[in-house]
Amino acid sequence: MKVFIRVVKDILKGNFLVKEDAYRNWNFIVFLTILSLISITSSHMMDRKIKKINKINEEIKELKSEYADIHSKCMQMQLSSFIRKKLVNGLKHLESPPYELFLNENK
C-alpha cells in the first residue's frame, strides 16, 4: 500500500518528467498529444460533413415537394375542364370526332 501511495505522489508531483530517463516519457506524452489533436480535428471535420449532408437532404426534400406541386398543377392545366374555365369565349365539347380532308391531285 505504501508503494502505491508513493507512486501516486510521484505522479502528482511530476517526478517522472524530470528524472534522468524522462525523455522517453516526454516522447510518449507528445505522441499522445498529437494523436488527441488528430482525433479532435477528424471529429470536427466529420461533424461539419454531417451538417452539410443534413442540409442537402432537407433541400432535396423541399425540391421534391416543389416538383410534386408543380407537376400536379401542370396535370390539372392539361384537363379540358380547366381549359374551358379559363377561356373567355368558352370551349365547346365536340359531339363527333374531327375528320380529315384528303385532296387528290389528278393531272
Side-chain angles (χ1 to χ4, degrees):
M1 187 68 169
K2 289 183 180 182
V3 174
F4 178 72
I5 292 174
R6 192 180 74 199
V7 169
V8 170
K9 283 184 181 180
D10 284 345
I11 291 173
L12 291 177
K13 287 181 181 179
N15 289 341
F16 69 97
L17 297 175
V18 291
K19 288 183 182 177
E20 295 170 2
D21 60 347
Y23 69 90
R24 284 186 273 152
N25 295 335
W26 279 106
N27 287 341
F28 186 69
I29 290 172
V30 169
F31 176 71
L32 287 179
T33 303
I34 290 172
L35 282 181
S36 64
L37 289 174
I38 290 171
S39 173
I40 290 170
T41 304
S42 67
S43 175
H44 284 295
M45 288 173 58
M46 184 179 62
D47 286 343
R48 271 190 244 126
K49 286 185 180 186
I50 289 173
K51 286 179 184 178
K52 188 175 180 179
I53 289 170
N54 287 337
K55 182 180 176 183
I56 290 172
N57 283 336
E58 289 296 321
E59 187 176 341
I60 287 172
K61 286 179 186 177
E62 289 176 12
L63 290 173
K64 281 183 179 180
S65 65
E66 184 179 344
Y67 168 77
D69 185 43
I70 291 173
H71 184 70
S72 66
K73 286 180 183 178
C74 286
M75 294 305 282
Q76 184 183 12
M77 287 180 179
Q78 290 177 354
L79 296 174
S80 61
S81 60
F82 181 81
I83 295 172
R84 265 188 252 143
K85 289 178 187 177
K86 291 295 180 181
L87 286 176
V88 177
N89 298 337
L91 185 64
K92 296 190 170 113
H93 184 66
L94 289 176
E95 297 298 326
S96 61
Y99 54 91
E100 291 184 42
L101 293 176
F102 295 104
L103 297 175
N104 291 329
E105 292 184 22
N106 294 330
K107 287 188 181 182

